Amino acid sequence: MTSASEPSRDDADIAMARLDALAACTDEPGRITRLAFSPALRDANARVLAWMREAGMAAGIDAAGNVVGRWEAETAGASAVMIGSHLDTVRDGGRYDGPLGVVAGIAVVERLRREGRRLPLAVEVIGFADEEGVRFGGSILGSAAVAGTLAPDWRERRDADGIDAATALRSFGVDPDGVGAASRRRDPPAAYLELHIEQGPALEDADVPLGCVTAIAGATRLLVTVDGTAGHAGTVPMRLRRDALAAAAECVLAVERLCAGAEAVGTVGHLRVAPDAVNVIPGRVRFSVDIRAAQDEVRTRLVDAALAEFQASARRRRVELAWQVTSRTETTPCSPRLVEALAGVLAGMGLPAPRLASGAGHDGIAVSAITEIGMLFLRCAGGISHHPAESVTVADVRLGIEALHRWSLALRRG
Ligand code: HGY
Ligand code: MN
Ligand code: MN
Ligand code: MN
């Protein structure tokens, strides 16, 4: 009970407090780093599980390490809609990218419970375990397991410390041989809805709190290894060197140049040098490439062009080049029916309903394989994301929860 002097804390205040609590679930003190199947993610899952159960949901960890809760329909066992997002983060990330969509889903169920309301459909809330793909290079692993579309090689993917995904899952308390049981292909949700920060400046520039996402850009991620010859920095003449980092540097600049000249974005966000010593010529470099475009054919053409330039550089410098595609997603449209339904909800709230595409990837890409997907974007300051300065206002979160709640009340069977 709050005292008369204290304003009552509403869903949005509680959601913000929960997002702060999840921000403390990190493997790197002083910053937010909660990678797939890490101790920090186990801690976050436990908190979310407790909030789901306190909200009256049947909740648990599924066979892929996702945390799932269910608010039963008026008829037990009815089909469900799924509201959610991811609980893992990038390294040194923000506190809203992902968890916002999970705590907002819980807030909707808490409202339904306070109203004593059961809907024609059940409401499932899910926190996906590995959307960012920072640890193993892929992305949307948790949601791909739910969609039944896991890449065959997901188990072999290794993190920077050489730990493979299957071993990581096992240490997380989930049997990697049982991941298939997370698939919802046979009983798919009737729809999937994600509230997510925009991670861009459009809503703030338009001074609008929420927007309806029309499509999610596809992305191709590569992991590239360049092998040269390590050697003494003081004695090997420049003309005899096979410097792996100098070759990789040419590749990084090629990605930037090719994408800058197209309707695309290209990033080398991860790079490791071996043996990584000031007085040793780099013998091996491993780096990531992330190329995205609204048009799949533009992205494919740029990936091919980048690889051709990498190979030309390798030949010129007499180094070996190897690469693997660690993730490839196609540009995925949101369901026009859901876009219009969400636009109607915003109009009913007296809000503008801008439509916008997402340059960021999301779990909806995977879930679109089994049901129609919708996304609501929420304004974030300066469009900043994947950065500790990521921030939203409680007023916008209040509107986001209200929109999800109104959407859920409009649900009809069939
Ligand atoms: O990388 C992305 O676009 C998303 O944040 N996982
Ligand atoms: Mn995200
Ligand atoms: Mn992200
Ligand atoms: Mn997402």
Side-chain angles (χ1 to χ4, degrees):
M1 278 298 282
T2 49
S3 67
S5 60
E6 224 179 275
S8 73
R9 282 177 11 126
D10 74 352
D11 303 326
D13 298 314
I14 292 167
M16 294 297 271
R18 286 172 172 170
L19 289 165
D20 291 344
L22 289 174
C25 303
T26 178
D27 288 320
E28 294 178 353
R31 53 193 228 170
I32 302 173
T33 298
R34 190 165 60 241
L35 303 189
F37 315 120
S38 62
L41 187 69
R42 184 187 295 117
D43 186 3
N45 275 6
R47 287 169 189 260
V48 168
L49 200 50
W51 294 331
M52 287 178 168
R53 287 172 174 161
E54 285 156 19
M57 288 193 242
I61 307 292
D62 76 3
N66 305 307
V67 52
V68 194
R70 181 183 170 98
W71 175 253
E72 197 45 88
E74 55 199 11
T75 311
S79 182
V81 291
M82 185 178 270
I83 297 174
S85 191
H86 57 94
L87 289 173
D88 65 312
T89 72
V90 296
R91 243 185 217 99
D92 195 11
R95 63 188 62 201
Y96 305 105
D97 171 10
L100 169 70
V102 182
V103 301
I106 296 172
V108 168
V109 170
E110 287 171 332
R111 232 184 242 190
L112 295 172
R113 184 181 197 213
R114 279 202 307 274
E115 295 160 352
R117 208 191 288 265
R118 296 282 175 180
L119 304 176
L121 299 175
V123 176
E124 292 183 359
V125 180
I126 190 162
F128 291 111
D130 180 14
E131 186 267 355
E132 299 287 4
V134 166
R135 184 173 177 187
F136 297 105
S139 71
I140 57 175
L141 188 146
S143 37
V146 168
T149 57
L150 269 178
D153 68 344
W154 73 268
R155 308 169 62 104
E156 284 86 51
R157 294 268 173 74
R158 291 182 182 280
D159 67 11
D161 300 323
I163 300 170
D164 64 84
T167 304
L169 210 58
R170 198 172 291 113
S171 65
F172 194 66
V174 172
D175 172 10
D177 299 327
V179 166
S183 171
R184 296 288 298 276
R185 275 194 173 275
R186 268 195 280 281
D187 61 334
Y192 172 74
L193 182 55
E194 180 168 350
L195 175 67
H196 199 289
I197 54 172
E198 179 199 341
Q199 299 177 303
L203 292 176
E204 185 177 60
D205 289 352
D207 193 20
V208 169
L210 295 166
C212 305
V213 179
T214 53
I216 307 170
T220 297
R221 291 185 183 176
L222 307 173
L223 192 59
V224 183
T225 304
V226 180
D227 278 310
T229 306
H232 196 301
T235 58
V236 179
M238 295 306 282
R239 60 186 170 73
L240 297 182
R241 293 186 177 201
R242 299 174 66 240
D243 183 330
L245 183 53
E250 278 190 5
C251 298
V252 173
L253 293 176
V255 170
E256 182 187 51
R257 173 172 32 81
L258 286 165
C259 293
E263 283 296 307
V265 287
T267 313
V268 174
H270 161 83
L271 187 141
R272 283 259 170 118
V273 184
D276 194 11
V278 62
N279 56 354
V280 180
I281 302 163
R284 163 169 278 204
V285 170
R286 185 178 97 146
F287 64 89
S288 65
V289 177
D290 176 319
I291 293 178
R292 312 183 190 199
Q295 309 296 330
D296 290 336
E297 49 283 359
V298 171
R299 172 171 48 84
T300 307
R301 177 174 54 76
L302 287 168
V303 169
D304 294 344
L307 287 170
E309 291 219 18
F310 293 0
Q311 287 165 307
S313 171
R315 277 193 300 274
R316 248 192 334 274
R317 292 170 169 273
R318 297 175 295 107
V319 297
E320 270 80 58
L321 185 88
W323 72 86
Q324 62 177 116
V325 177
T326 55
S327 172
R328 186 188 359 247
T329 55
E330 310 301 313
T331 293
T332 304
C334 293
S335 145
R337 188 181 72 79
L338 283 180
V339 173
E340 292 317 307
L342 292 169
V345 164
L346 297 185
M349 293 168 66
L351 294 173
R355 274 78 160 164
L356 65 169
S358 173
H362 297 287
D363 291 301
I365 287 181
V367 182
S368 68
I370 57 172
T371 191
E372 50 180 345
I373 64 166
M375 280 196 81
L376 263 184
F377 267 171
L378 190 136
R379 167 172 50 186
C380 60
I384 297 169
S385 183
H386 286 188
H387 187 281
E390 202 176 85
S391 79
V392 298
T393 66
V394 64
D396 285 356
V397 171
R398 190 166 289 121
L399 292 171
I401 293 170
E402 174 61 22
L404 292 187
H405 180 243
R406 287 178 180 228
W407 176 78
S408 75
L409 298 184
L411 289 173
R412 292 289 169 266
R413 209 197 320 276

